[in-house]
Amino acid sequence: MDSLIPTIFFLFFFLGTISGAPYNEMKYDFQNYVSNTIMVDKSGRGNFTRVQQAIDSIPSNNSLWTRILINHGLYMEKVVIPRNKPYIILEGDPKHDTAIEYGDFGSVIDSPTFKLFADNFVARNIIFKNSYDRLITPGPNGRKTTWAPAASISGDKASFYHCAFISLQDTLSDDVGRHYYYDCFVEGAIDFIWGNGQSIYEKCQLRSVTDKIGVPGFITAQGRKGLKETSGYVFKDCYINGTGPIFLGRPYRNYSRVLFASTYMENIITPEGWSAWEKRSLNLITFSEVNCKGPGADMSHRVPWEKKLSDQEVAYLTNPAAFIDQEGWLGKQPN
């Protein structure tokens, strides 16, 4: 009889909630519960040997979180998470490198090593790499730089913790949706964070490798298309280093919006800071720096059309709860 008490209590509680207002809240809690864990191990000691196999095994339109644990090692494959596979956590080994790598090139659509289309996604301790730059050689007959993304992120409510994105050109296609990157590493030389995402990068390292291309490069190429669009890139408490010279960004579209706040910049940033790229209406672009430090943060020779944002605008853009986390989705993602 005593063993039935917990079961009876649970049924009483559950049935009571579905008849009243608390049901929606309880349902949402169940949606954020990790219902299944899958192990990927390249040596065969898990459920699958390839990451894509694990993703393919998840039922379409799943409504409960599935955690895919990836044992350390190098996984040479392309990985795609389609739109009908939400609520996935990709988690690598926190103590040893876990890398997903491929070397495709020539297309920002087809070449990314990792492509995310689904909403509600978390990645931790994963290196996403496009290895095409290894093939680049100097001289008229050598391989040239071209589009070679490490990752393309097109889902909403996606977060990345302690991840790395490595390539040379168009490294991270931060394409569309609300995204949060914490303590991540992004390496590239040409437009290595680009697209029309609505994203905050907090305590991230941005590493320039323009020595590989021999000309100035660009960290960002944000693609906001209109004044009413909420997209933009915000870099908060970040660190920029590597080789230079490199511009902080250039406008991919007319209403491009990028803010660097409280970011330390090594002496690799071009004096003008930003490039106009093509002939655009410069008054529509929102490129700004606030409270940045380091030798690369010298503002004395910046372009005259860089925006000076109000304290209220800076507070809004740098606050995740205001800019990207309006429904509190970040705090509700599983640990």
Side-chain angles (χ1 to χ4, degrees):
M1 181 65 181
D2 291 343
S3 63
L4 293 177
I5 292 176
T7 301
I8 293 171
F9 176 79
F10 174 79
L11 288 173
F12 175 80
F13 175 76
F14 179 74
L15 291 173
T17 58
I18 65 175
S19 62
Y23 173 65
N24 288 335
E25 297 177 9
M26 184 177 176
K27 183 179 179 182
Y28 194 82
D29 288 341
F30 273 116
Q31 284 180 332
N32 288 273
Y33 170 73
V34 177
S35 64
N36 188 29
T37 297
I38 300 171
M39 172 64 76
V40 178
D41 185 285
K42 59 183 299 183
S43 64
R45 291 176 293 180
N47 302 104
F48 299 99
T49 59
R50 300 175 69 82
V51 179
Q52 190 64 53
Q53 291 173 334
I55 292 166
D56 293 343
S57 75
I58 298 172
S60 297
N61 303 310
N62 50 298
S63 60
L64 296 175
W65 287 93
T66 296
R67 191 189 309 273
I68 300 176
L69 294 176
I70 309 173
N71 205 359
H72 66 272
L74 176 59
Y75 294 81
M76 295 291 293
E77 59 176 304
K78 278 186 175 183
V79 173
V80 178
I81 300 182
R83 194 169 301 278
N84 65 350
K85 297 288 181 80
Y87 298 106
I88 289 178
I89 303 168
L90 284 187
E91 192 164 322
D93 190 328
K95 296 182 180 179
H96 306 281
D97 286 350
T98 302
I100 302 172
E101 180 178 328
Y102 209 75
D104 201 0
F105 62 95
S107 169
V108 294
I109 297 174
D110 299 325
S111 300
T113 299
F114 174 73
K115 292 195 285 189
L116 172 68
F117 296 102
D119 297 341
N120 297 294
F121 173 82
V122 180
R124 298 188 183 97
N125 308 311
I126 306 284
I127 299 170
F128 302 97
K129 184 173 183 178
N130 190 311
S131 57
Y132 169 73
D133 64 303
R134 294 178 181 173
L135 305 176
I136 294 172
T137 55
N141 299 319
R143 285 284 185 102
K144 305 298 182 184
T145 57
T146 186
W147 305 290
S152 177
I153 312 303
S154 301
D156 190 32
K157 294 185 282 190
S159 61
F160 298 83
Y161 301 88
H162 322 298
C163 291
F165 305 87
I166 300 172
S167 186
L168 195 64
Q169 181 170 341
D170 299 328
T171 301
L172 175 54
S173 175
D174 192 341
D175 186 27
V176 64
R178 292 168 295 173
H179 311 141
Y180 180 69
Y181 303 82
Y182 182 84
D183 187 31
C184 289
F185 174 88
V186 190
E187 179 181 281
I190 302 173
D191 303 334
F192 61 92
I193 302 174
W194 74 282
N196 196 22
Q198 182 173 336
S199 305
I200 290 180
Y201 295 76
E202 186 168 1
K203 298 185 185 301
C204 293
Q205 179 182 354
L206 314 176
R207 185 171 186 271
S208 164
V209 286
T210 54
D211 59 312
K212 293 185 178 182
I213 61 174
V215 294
F218 310 89
I219 295 174
T220 65
Q222 206 278 330
R224 187 167 172 245
K225 294 177 285 188
L227 189 61
K228 294 183 178 180
E229 282 197 338
T230 57
S231 63
Y233 297 157
V234 177
F235 299 89
K236 178 182 177 182
D237 298 321
C238 293
Y239 174 54
I240 303 174
N241 72 338
T243 61
I246 195 163
F247 290 87
L248 294 171
R250 57 180 177 174
Y252 178 41
R253 295 193 178 97
N254 287 332
Y255 289 82
S256 182
R257 179 163 64 172
V258 179
L259 168 64
F260 285 89
S262 304
T263 290
Y264 191 93
M265 304 177 183
E266 297 287 2
N267 192 27
I268 61 171
I269 309 300
T270 61
E272 58 269 46
W274 308 90
S275 168
W277 200 349
E278 301 171 349
K279 292 182 179 179
R280 299 185 184 275
S281 299
L282 298 179
N283 62 311
L284 303 179
I285 298 167
T286 302
F287 287 164
S288 187
E289 301 164 71
V290 177
N291 298 327
C292 294
K293 298 180 180 180
D298 183 357
M299 299 283 289
S300 61
H301 297 289
R302 290 296 197 250
V303 293
W305 44 270
E306 177 171 349
K307 289 287 194 305
K308 180 172 176 55
L309 301 178
S310 67
D311 292 343
Q312 292 79 7
E313 288 173 312
V314 173
Y316 167 75
L317 290 170
T318 56
N319 181 1
F323 185 51
I324 61 170
D325 191 27
Q326 298 87 349
E327 302 102 319
W329 56 271
L330 273 172
K332 294 174 181 176
Q333 290 182 331
N335 293 324

